[in-house]
Amino acid sequence: MPYSKIHYTVAEGVASITLNRPDKLNSFDREMSLEVIDALDKAKDDTSVRAVLLTGEGRAFSAGQDLAEAIAPGTKIEDILTTQYNPIVRRIRNLPKPVIAAVNGVAAGAGANIACACDLTLAAESANFIQSFINIGLIPDSGGTSTLPRLIGMQRAFGQMILAPRVSAKEAEAMGMIWKAVPDADLMNEAMVLAKKLATMPTKAIALTKQALNRSTTNNIDAQLDVENELQTIAGASHDYTEGVNAFLEKRKPVYTGE
Ligand code: LHQ
């Protein structure tokens, strides 16, 4: 699929997806959403890709749904969620590779919740997050009602969802909503260094860790112990486990292939 609303590049094991509608603050129209879905599938299938970096072009990460398109005659909210946001968030959460968000500017509505659905979210210090749904009479979507309370607790999640304050990157970091706030000038470099580092790590163990955390959201500890047993058995059969142990015993740096 040729892309006109995103950029997609692969280098050194990292697939970079850049939302590219800067004049519309990278708000999601149907075309951009389908391109993001396609790019996430491409990153999943490409065995040379071992980490994904998601960011935005221009002064915004994303202003969420393109509201002009949302109210176009014949457009149904249900269809937008079914064909755009739910597939994007499901792909991010189920991708067996780490997804890093580099939030370069404002992240509102679905834009904020897609950023928070990523595995590690970095944000420029000037960026901010807004649960703007309530401002137009909607409820949070794109997984926010699941992700946010787990990251920051019910009170803070509800407060953000109902009062829609602009939450700065530093505040987001302090409350555990994101991994790290980074000086603006360092954001892209720092995010890429992190993505490249992850791309040289034991990819299978990262994917299994992600799967274990996903499954923990509906499990008690008893069930989760069984999940750990199941997934650790798979990790223990990987090439990277053998390599990691051998490298330790031989006092050398491990070389992980992701297998
Ligand atoms: C926009 C947008 C935008 C179009 C700025 N669309 N043009 C799911 C199912 C179905 C329906 C609805 O949605 C969803 C999921 C959702 O994401 S709901 C939430 C949708 N997003 C919003 O409600 C956020 C709306 N935008 C804003 O609140 C502000 O623009 C933010 C806080 C993002 C940025 O504020 P400023 O930095 O002050 O920029 P601005 O407001 O001046 O916007 C710049 C331009 O971008 C402007 O166009 P213009 O032609 O006047 O320069 C805006 O109209 C346009 N824009 N967001 N979502």
Side-chain angles (χ1 to χ4, degrees), residues 142-178:
S142 303
T145 58
S146 172
T147 325
L148 266 199
R150 287 183 169 83
L151 290 170
I152 61 177
M154 282 288 215
Q155 286 267 331
R156 283 169 166 157
F158 186 75
Q160 282 194 35
M161 289 167 180
I162 298 307
L163 302 171
R166 278 191 189 243
V167 176
S168 72
K170 286 249 187 219
E171 289 170 317
E173 180 192 61
M175 68 177 85
M177 201 172 104
I178 64 169

Side-chain angles (χ1 to χ4, degrees), residues 21 69 93 159 164 234 253:
R21 301 182 75 218
E69 194 175 88
R93 291 309 318 145
I234 298 171
K253 254 188 101 181

Side-chain angles (χ1 to χ4, degrees), residues 215-257:
R215 291 167 70 177
S216 80
T217 59
T218 51
N219 277 342
N220 62 22
I221 187 164
D222 193 47
Q224 197 61 17
L225 286 168
D226 290 334
V227 168
E228 289 173 4
N229 197 343
E230 175 197 332
L231 301 183
Q232 193 69 294
T233 303
I234 298 171
S238 68
H239 167 275
D240 283 343
Y241 169 60
T242 309
E243 167 64 8
V245 175
N246 284 338
F248 176 78
L249 295 176
E250 292 160 15
K251 300 190 188 306
R252 61 174 174 81
K253 254 188 101 181
V255 180
Y256 293 119
T257 61

Side-chain angles (χ1 to χ4, degrees), residues 53-110:
L53 179 60
L54 177 65
T55 190
E57 189 65 46
R59 74 174 177 93
F61 176 75
S62 170
Q65 168 66 32
D66 182 321
L67 293 175
E69 194 175 88
I71 55 150
T75 307
K76 288 194 198 136
I77 286 192
E78 185 190 350
D79 292 342
I80 295 177
L81 295 189
T82 306
T83 62
Q84 298 179 209
Y85 299 110
N86 293 0
I88 289 174
V89 173
R90 287 197 171 110
R91 275 167 177 74
I92 291 172
R93 291 309 318 145
N94 295 325
L95 196 81
K97 302 171 184 182
V99 184
I100 295 149
V103 179
N104 51 300
V106 66

